[in-house]
Amino acid sequence: MTPQEIAEKTGEQIGTSEWVEISQERINQFAEATGDHQFIHVNEEAAKMTPFGGTIAHGFLTLSMIPYLSQNSDLPRPDGIKMGINYGGNKTRFINPVKSGKRIRGIWKLVEMVEKKPGQWQQTVEITIEIEGEEKPALICEWITQFFV
């Protein structure tokens, strides 16, 4: 799909990812990688005493799943893409914690797709990370990617 064809989908949902489980092992690995060992993430016994009833994923773990979810989705990719880079995010809100063992998926809505320079496109999407079986999503954010074609 050309970047121009993608741009025509502004305001529309453009992709959905597969479901992926957020296991306690993944949460523990994220705690190791970031040094965030708060008990609500890694101590299953202590976390049972919280309003969550068990351990929850770090908010930033959920956010960091966006590249994985993107690669495992039906998102349109610009034809002839040489590379895509993260440019940043806007309005990130952590709405609902992801409990250990739950599955999440991403839903993408195109906010904007503009050509910044010849061959350089900037895409802004609203990403909603849903939690399987729950009404409220884990997070909603705007994410910006630059594509070079």
Side-chain angles (χ1 to χ4, degrees):
M1 183 174 278
T2 69
Q4 294 85 349
E5 290 170 328
I6 295 171
E8 291 172 8
K9 296 186 175 294
T10 298
E12 297 178 24
Q13 181 178 316
I14 59 168
T16 303
S17 76
E18 298 176 359
W19 290 101
V20 63
E21 181 182 345
I22 302 299
S23 65
Q24 187 61 50
E25 179 182 5
R26 187 184 298 261
I27 294 168
N28 292 344
Q29 289 171 341
F30 190 83
E32 283 300 311
T34 62
D36 183 351
H37 297 279
Q38 187 178 163
F39 80 95
I40 61 172
H41 305 303
V42 297
N43 186 327
E44 295 176 63
E45 288 305 311
K48 286 180 186 175
M49 306 301 193
T50 70
F52 307 120
T55 55
I56 60 171
H58 306 70
F60 285 114
L61 168 55
T62 305
L63 184 66
S64 73
M65 292 299 295
I66 289 173
Y68 177 86
L69 294 171
S70 174
Q71 289 301 312
N72 293 281
S73 75
D74 58 0
L75 280 169
R77 313 279 190 242
D79 292 339
I81 187 171
K82 295 176 184 161
M83 71 173 169
I85 59 170
N86 292 326
Y87 188 71
N90 300 323
K91 305 177 190 173
T92 300
R93 300 294 180 264
F94 300 101
I95 297 168
N96 192 15
V98 178
K99 295 177 182 172
S100 176
K102 285 288 204 167
R103 295 190 331 156
I104 63 170
R105 74 173 176 183
I107 306 289
W108 283 260
K109 178 182 173 184
L110 183 60
V111 174
E112 181 178 62
M113 181 86 167
V114 295
E115 190 170 24
K116 299 305 252 181
K117 298 184 211 175
Q120 180 182 345
W121 288 80
Q122 184 167 293
Q123 180 185 68
T124 303
V125 291
E126 178 185 272
I127 303 171
T128 302
I129 305 294
E130 297 181 328
I131 306 168
E132 189 174 41
E134 297 197 21
E135 244 180 76
K136 292 194 302 187
L139 72 84
I140 299 174
C141 70
E142 280 189 359
W143 198 253
I144 306 165
T145 305
Q146 290 193 348
F147 294 106
F148 297 85
V149 293

